[in-house]
Amino acid sequence: MFRIDASILRECVETVLAVVDEARLKIYEDAWRIRAVDPANVALVDLELRREAFSEFSLGPEEGQKKGEKEFVIGVPFDKMRDVLRWCKNEVALSIEKEKMTLQSDAYTFTLTLIDPSSIRKEPNIPELEFVAKVVVDADDFKKVLRAAEKISYQVAIGVQDGNFFVEAEGEMETMRYSLHKDELVHLSSSNCRSLFSLEYLAAMAKGFASDALTLHISTDHPLKIEFDIADGNGKVVYMLAPRIEAE
Amino acid sequence: MFRIDASILRECVETVLAVVDEARLKIYEDAWRIRAVDPANVALVDLELRREAFSEFSLGPEEGQKKGEKEFVIGVPFDKMRDVLRWCKNEVALSIEKEKMTLQSDAYTFTLTLIDPSSIRKEPNIPELEFVAKVVVDADDFKKVLRAAEKISYQVAIGVQDGNFFVEAEGEMETMRYSLHKDELVHLSSSNCRSLFSLEYLAAMAKGFASDALTLHISTDHPLKIEFDIADGNGKVVYMLAPRIEAE
Amino acid sequence: MFRIDASILRECVETVLAVVDEARLKIYEDAWRIRAVDPANVALVDLELRREAFSEFSLGPEEGQKKGEKEFVIGVPFDKMRDVLRWCKNEVALSIEKEKMTLQSDAYTFTLTLIDPSSIRKEPNIPELEFVAKVVVDADDFKKVLRAAEKISYQVAIGVQDGNFFVEAEGEMETMRYSLHKDELVHLSSSNCRSLFSLEYLAAMAKGFASDALTLHISTDHPLKIEFDIADGNGKVVYMLAPRIEAE
């Protein structure tokens, strides 16, 4: 049985849905963990929601845990979970039994049929990557820049140049350059770098940005790594996005 | 000539439109009365708007009344009446002459061509029914439950079980149960009962719920009767909805 | 280089877009001027934005001006300009160089490719017209009347009758008459008159009404002229709309 604030649970569900509709949820003694890649292998989400984010966190046989097991796995239809969480205010009591997840909140009780976890793609490994730039940006500003870029192109260059963080989009008749100097950013440590990314994927991820500040890790022609805290610091999300190759 | 607050008139028009687009309006010396069923004979609306809801209520020859008549009938296109009421604020002066209804409000004057009442289905009789349960619910809560249920199924069970009012929906992969104990309700007097209803019809009716509180009358495999006051108590609406037969 | 408040620039762009997507912008030493007609020759916009509306107004060689020239012309894609202005807050720095317009606002820099002005229709002459009526109306009220009329018909009669300004629409089953007496208007001086206009064009123009008050000039079976100030009085817009011929 787990008890957690409905808005925190909703936040987690949204961050996962930015990449996949269904995923394996691993329940450990200290946290929930989800790691999934989209079908095209372009975007990855890695979420950890620690025990401290819950007001009750107890694993019992009814949670599918067999004696002595340290973790167990369920297959969660996050899209359907979002549908039912829409109606939950305040605290949600969540329990897992056999192939069912039950969510109870105020007068509502919802049950969802779980998915056989073996039918969902296995968790990917997260590649060990080095980045040359680390930038902390305001999440709302970054979302707004991505929306502006979407009006102009289907892809966007993100990078650092001479102490300025930039986002660039180039259309047939228009261009956009967004540029913020080091002094206007929470943090920027970096060499120059630049990578190109699909706006379709970035815009989807932007729906999951559930924090005021995002930490971006950038290199040249390299994946983009976006990190932020959730659940008042009792959880963390990492997104990774593969770069596009810049046409010469 | 009738004078009435635009928002009260709009409210009445919406409650009728929840069931039919056009209906016969009977004008008596003490009230307006409308009773209509939808084309499939599944839903019924019965509305009474008493003289006291109007700031002027005078029937003259121009209102189609012949000498000595106690009532007369007109055919009203309520959908078109909604269109024009959108632009009326404050008080509306409404008059009926020959085949026209005129609505005047501030600088606007609208005329609507009435429908020959003989071309509209006759008022149905309201069947005399006994119900085992009477529940008073909050209208907004009930609307919200119906919206939640619509996400899951196209039908809903409504009933009472052991002193709890419940609404249940069952989908292929999800279920919802909403349950409120007697103590959480304004009123519940009841034996156990349960009937199944079309959500399409209930959702349409929900648009007409023009009151904070609804009184539901329920029995097993029996129509649902929903009552509420309109026009600050100077009018009343009754909806009746036929049950679906529960598949074994 | 020009500097101007983003909201004023946005306002100007919207007033032009109410008639055409692209237009020739003439830059004089004292003002920007735009005059354009729609492809069907039914609607005309004539805009003047004076030097005083700008916080910087300097023409240099980079603005395309050759020595001794008093004006120059560029072809502006106003639809694309609207897209990028959506993201500009505060002041916009606008410069023109060769075939590019650059808009810079806060961290954003946008460039737009200009259109060859010779490929855009030449400015029309504004016909010298006499009107019998002049009415000053509230812009929001007039917009609301046009929306109400659109529900009923695709055309509208506008005129003055016995000291009342009126707008009339006639549908198959409904009519609307909006009528305001002289005393309820800011200004009305007039003989009786009446002309019929396309609601499609008027509704488009309504999106450009960037002022609280509009001055309408009306005659019988004559164009409608609508005037209003923009940029806190440092600019002016005139719309002209050809009448429809009333079917007998």
Side-chain angles (χ1 to χ4, degrees):
Chain A
M1 168 72 80
F2 305 92
R3 285 186 190 278
I4 188 164
D5 192 76
S7 62
I8 293 178
L9 193 52
R10 208 154 28 220
E11 199 175 278
C12 291
V13 166
E14 289 297 340
T15 60
V16 175
L17 283 169
V19 173
V20 285
D21 285 346
E22 308 173 343
R24 296 153 65 101
L25 164 63
K26 286 197 176 173
I27 300 180
Y28 294 81
E29 283 191 335
D30 65 331
W32 283 9
R33 289 192 181 87
I34 297 156
R35 190 181 292 172
V37 284
D38 81 290
N41 260 327
V42 173
L44 174 150
V45 57
D46 184 36
L47 175 144
E48 180 183 78
L49 185 64
R50 282 192 297 281
R51 176 170 205 128
E52 291 75 19
F54 296 79
S55 55
E56 185 178 339
F57 191 101
S58 64
L59 285 75
E62 73 281 6
E63 257 70 41
Q65 196 187 31
K66 294 185 198 116
K67 217 187 150 187
E69 265 189 331
K70 284 274 162 63
E71 61 168 84
F72 67 102
V73 185
I74 57 172
V76 179
F78 283 96
D79 47 357
K80 301 214 177 292
M81 206 168 157
R82 169 166 57 190
D83 280 353
V84 306
L85 280 171
R86 237 186 106 187
W87 313 101
C88 299
K89 273 195 253 173
N90 310 317
E91 198 172 62
V92 176
L94 188 151
S95 59
I96 296 152
E97 203 169 350
K98 288 180 191 145
E99 283 101 51
K100 301 276 182 200
M101 177 190 283
T102 302
L103 296 105
Q104 194 269 316
S105 179
D106 298 322
Y108 289 89
T109 307
F110 294 98
T111 64
L112 299 180
T113 302
L114 295 174
I115 299 164
D116 178 359
S118 69
S119 74
I120 301 178
R121 246 174 116 162
K122 269 237 149 188
E123 289 82 358
N125 290 321
I126 295 197
E128 287 285 337
L129 294 168
E130 300 278 326
F131 296 90
V132 304
K134 179 177 164 189
V135 187
V136 179
V137 296
D138 180 89
D140 284 337
D141 285 350
F142 190 54
K143 279 190 215 179
K144 202 180 139 186
V145 179
L146 296 178
R147 280 205 304 275
E150 278 184 282
K151 283 272 176 190
I152 287 172
S153 182
Y154 52 90
Q155 61 185 21
V156 81
I158 297 180
V160 174
Q161 187 175 30
D162 307 332
N164 288 282
F165 166 67
F166 70 84
V167 179
E168 257 184 25
E170 210 168 306
E172 271 181 61
M173 304 288 286
E174 298 148 284
T175 68
M176 180 202 87
R177 184 175 171 101
Y178 176 84
S179 173
L180 275 183
H181 189 259
K182 209 178 193 163
D183 303 340
E184 300 169 285
L185 289 158
V186 183
H187 178 93
L188 182 137
S189 61
S190 153
S191 312
N192 286 358
C193 58
R194 174 193 173 94
S195 286
L196 203 61
F197 302 100
S198 153
L199 270 168
E200 190 189 338
Y201 280 92
L202 268 174
M205 280 182 176
K207 291 189 190 148
F209 293 166
S211 174
D212 293 343
L214 309 172
T215 304
L216 311 185
H217 301 267
I218 318 167
S219 283
T220 295
D221 293 334
H222 208 70
L224 174 67
K225 182 174 164 183
I226 304 176
E227 286 177 305
F228 54 93
D229 283 344
I230 51 168
D232 299 320
N234 290 314
K236 196 182 150 182
V237 171
V238 177
Y239 287 134
M240 301 268 284
L241 182 61
R244 283 169 163 260
I245 301 312
E246 205 143 357
E248 302 279 314
Chain B
M1 170 69 82
F2 305 92
R3 286 187 191 277
I4 186 165
D5 191 76
S7 62
I8 292 178
L9 193 52
R10 208 154 29 221
E11 199 174 279
C12 291
V13 166
E14 288 297 338
T15 60
V16 176
L17 282 168
V19 173
V20 286
D21 285 346
E22 310 174 341
R24 298 154 64 100
L25 165 62
K26 286 198 175 173
I27 299 179
Y28 294 81
E29 284 191 333
D30 65 331
W32 282 10
R33 289 193 181 88
I34 296 156
R35 189 181 292 172
V37 284
D38 81 291
N41 260 328
V42 173
L44 174 149
V45 57
D46 183 37
L47 175 144
E48 180 184 79
L49 185 64
R50 283 192 298 280
R51 177 170 204 127
E52 292 76 20
F54 296 79
S55 56
E56 184 179 340
F57 191 102
S58 64
L59 285 74
E62 74 281 6
E63 258 70 40
Q65 196 186 31
K66 294 186 197 114
K67 215 188 152 187
E69 262 190 332
K70 286 274 163 63
E71 62 168 82
F72 67 101
V73 185
I74 57 172
V76 179
F78 283 95
D79 46 358
K80 300 213 176 294
M81 206 169 159
R82 169 167 56 190
D83 281 353
V84 307
L85 280 171
R86 239 186 104 188
W87 313 101
C88 299
K89 271 196 254 172
N90 310 316
E91 199 172 62
V92 176
L94 188 150
S95 58
I96 297 152
E97 203 169 349
K98 287 181 191 143
E99 282 101 50
K100 301 275 182 201
M101 177 189 283
T102 302
L103 295 105
Q104 193 269 316
S105 178
D106 298 322
Y108 289 90
T109 308
F110 294 99
T111 64
L112 299 180
T113 302
L114 296 174
I115 299 164
D116 178 358
S118 69
S119 75
I120 301 178
R121 244 174 117 163
K122 269 237 149 192
E123 289 81 358
N125 290 320
I126 296 198
E128 287 284 338
L129 293 169
E130 301 277 327
F131 295 89
V132 303
K134 178 178 166 190
V135 189
V136 179
V137 296
D138 180 88
D140 285 335
D141 285 350
F142 190 54
K143 279 190 214 177
K144 200 179 139 185
V145 178
L146 296 178
R147 280 204 305 276
E150 278 184 282
K151 282 273 175 187
I152 287 173
S153 182
Y154 52 91
Q155 61 184 20
V156 82
I158 297 180
V160 175
Q161 188 176 28
D162 308 333
N164 288 283
F165 166 67
F166 71 84
V167 179
E168 257 184 23
E170 210 167 309
E172 271 181 62
M173 304 288 286
E174 297 149 285
T175 68
M176 180 203 86
R177 185 176 171 100
Y178 176 84
S179 174
L180 275 183
H181 189 260
K182 209 178 194 164
D183 304 340
E184 301 169 284
L185 289 157
V186 183
H187 178 92
L188 182 138
S189 62
S190 152
S191 311
N192 287 358
C193 58
R194 174 194 174 93
S195 285
L196 204 61
F197 302 100
S198 153
L199 271 168
E200 191 188 337
Y201 280 92
L202 267 174
M205 281 182 175
K207 290 187 190 149
F209 294 165
S211 174
D212 294 342
L214 309 172
T215 304
L216 311 184
H217 300 267
I218 318 166
S219 283
T220 295
D221 292 334
H222 209 69
L224 175 68
K225 182 173 165 185
I226 304 175
E227 287 178 305
F228 54 93
D229 283 344
I230 51 169
D232 299 322
N234 291 316
K236 195 182 148 180
V237 172
V238 177
Y239 286 135
M240 300 269 283
L241 182 62
R244 284 169 163 259
I245 301 312
E246 203 141 1
E248 303 279 315
Chain C
M1 167 72 81
F2 306 93
R3 286 185 191 278
I4 187 165
D5 191 76
S7 63
I8 293 179
L9 193 52
R10 206 151 33 216
E11 200 174 278
C12 291
V13 166
E14 290 295 339
T15 60
V16 176
L17 283 169
V19 173
V20 286
D21 285 346
E22 308 173 344
R24 295 154 65 100
L25 165 63
K26 285 198 176 173
I27 299 180
Y28 293 82
E29 283 191 336
D30 65 332
W32 283 9
R33 289 191 182 88
I34 297 156
R35 190 182 292 172
V37 284
D38 80 291
N41 260 328
V42 173
L44 174 149
V45 58
D46 184 36
L47 176 143
E48 180 183 78
L49 184 64
R50 283 193 297 280
R51 178 172 202 124
E52 291 76 19
F54 295 80
S55 56
E56 184 177 341
F57 191 101
S58 64
L59 284 74
E62 72 282 6
E63 258 70 41
Q65 198 187 29
K66 294 186 198 111
K67 217 185 150 187
E69 263 190 331
K70 285 275 163 62
E71 60 167 85
F72 67 102
V73 185
I74 57 172
V76 179
F78 283 95
D79 47 357
K80 301 214 177 292
M81 206 169 158
R82 168 165 58 190
D83 280 354
V84 307
L85 280 171
R86 237 185 106 188
W87 313 101
C88 299
K89 272 196 255 172
N90 311 315
E91 200 172 61
V92 176
L94 188 149
S95 58
I96 297 152
E97 202 169 348
K98 288 180 188 146
E99 284 102 49
K100 302 275 181 200
M101 177 189 283
T102 302
L103 296 106
Q104 195 269 315
S105 178
D106 299 320
Y108 289 90
T109 308
F110 294 98
T111 64
L112 299 179
T113 302
L114 295 174
I115 300 164
D116 178 359
S118 69
S119 74
I120 301 178
R121 245 173 118 161
K122 269 237 148 191
E123 288 81 359
N125 291 320
I126 296 197
E128 287 284 338
L129 294 168
E130 300 277 327
F131 295 90
V132 305
K134 178 176 164 191
V135 188
V136 179
V137 296
D138 180 89
D140 284 337
D141 285 350
F142 190 54
K143 279 189 216 180
K144 201 180 139 184
V145 179
L146 296 178
R147 279 204 305 276
E150 278 184 281
K151 282 272 176 189
I152 287 172
S153 181
Y154 52 91
Q155 61 185 20
V156 82
I158 297 179
V160 174
Q161 188 175 28
D162 307 332
N164 288 282
F165 166 67
F166 70 84
V167 179
E168 257 184 24
E170 210 168 308
E172 272 182 60
M173 304 288 285
E174 297 149 285
T175 68
M176 180 203 86
R177 185 176 171 100
Y178 175 84
S179 174
L180 275 183
H181 189 259
K182 210 177 192 163
D183 303 340
E184 302 168 284
L185 289 158
V186 183
H187 179 92
L188 182 138
S189 61
S190 152
S191 312
N192 286 358
C193 58
R194 174 193 175 93
S195 285
L196 204 62
F197 302 99
S198 152
L199 270 168
E200 191 188 337
Y201 280 92
L202 267 174
M205 281 182 175
K207 290 187 191 150
F209 295 165
S211 174
D212 293 342
L214 309 172
T215 304
L216 311 185
H217 301 267
I218 319 167
S219 283
T220 295
D221 293 335
H222 208 69
L224 174 69
K225 182 172 163 185
I226 303 175
E227 285 178 306
F228 53 94
D229 283 344
I230 51 168
D232 298 321
N234 290 315
K236 196 183 149 181
V237 172
V238 177
Y239 288 133
M240 300 268 284
L241 182 61
R244 283 168 163 260
I245 301 311
E246 204 142 0
E248 304 277 315

